[in-house]
Amino acid sequence: MFANHAYQARAKATCSGCPSRTQCLAHALDHRIEFGVWGGMTERERRALLRRRTTVASWRDLLDAARAEHEREAGELRRPAA
């Protein structure tokens, strides 16, 4: 059975507040999981991403690095200027 668009939209909305979202997405991408919503992305969205980024060896490493960079930049924005 395939999920309809409304079900996928609800599942993606649930993912948006999940603290494990990037780890979940990395797992689905690294293991080429074909079905369901993982980390806020549908199977179609994940397939498109995999086609665009064929050289990524580890999605977990890539997403962890991106998250760390985002947190570092966000921390710099919150600090008052000296």
Side-chain angles (χ1 to χ4, degrees), residues 43-61:
E43 56 269 15
R44 181 177 286 182
E45 292 167 332
R46 290 193 310 276
R47 280 193 306 268
L49 181 58
L50 289 167
R51 280 193 306 270
R52 286 192 310 270
R53 303 287 301 268
T54 59
T55 61
V56 175
S58 169
W59 286 95
R60 179 167 305 276
D61 291 347

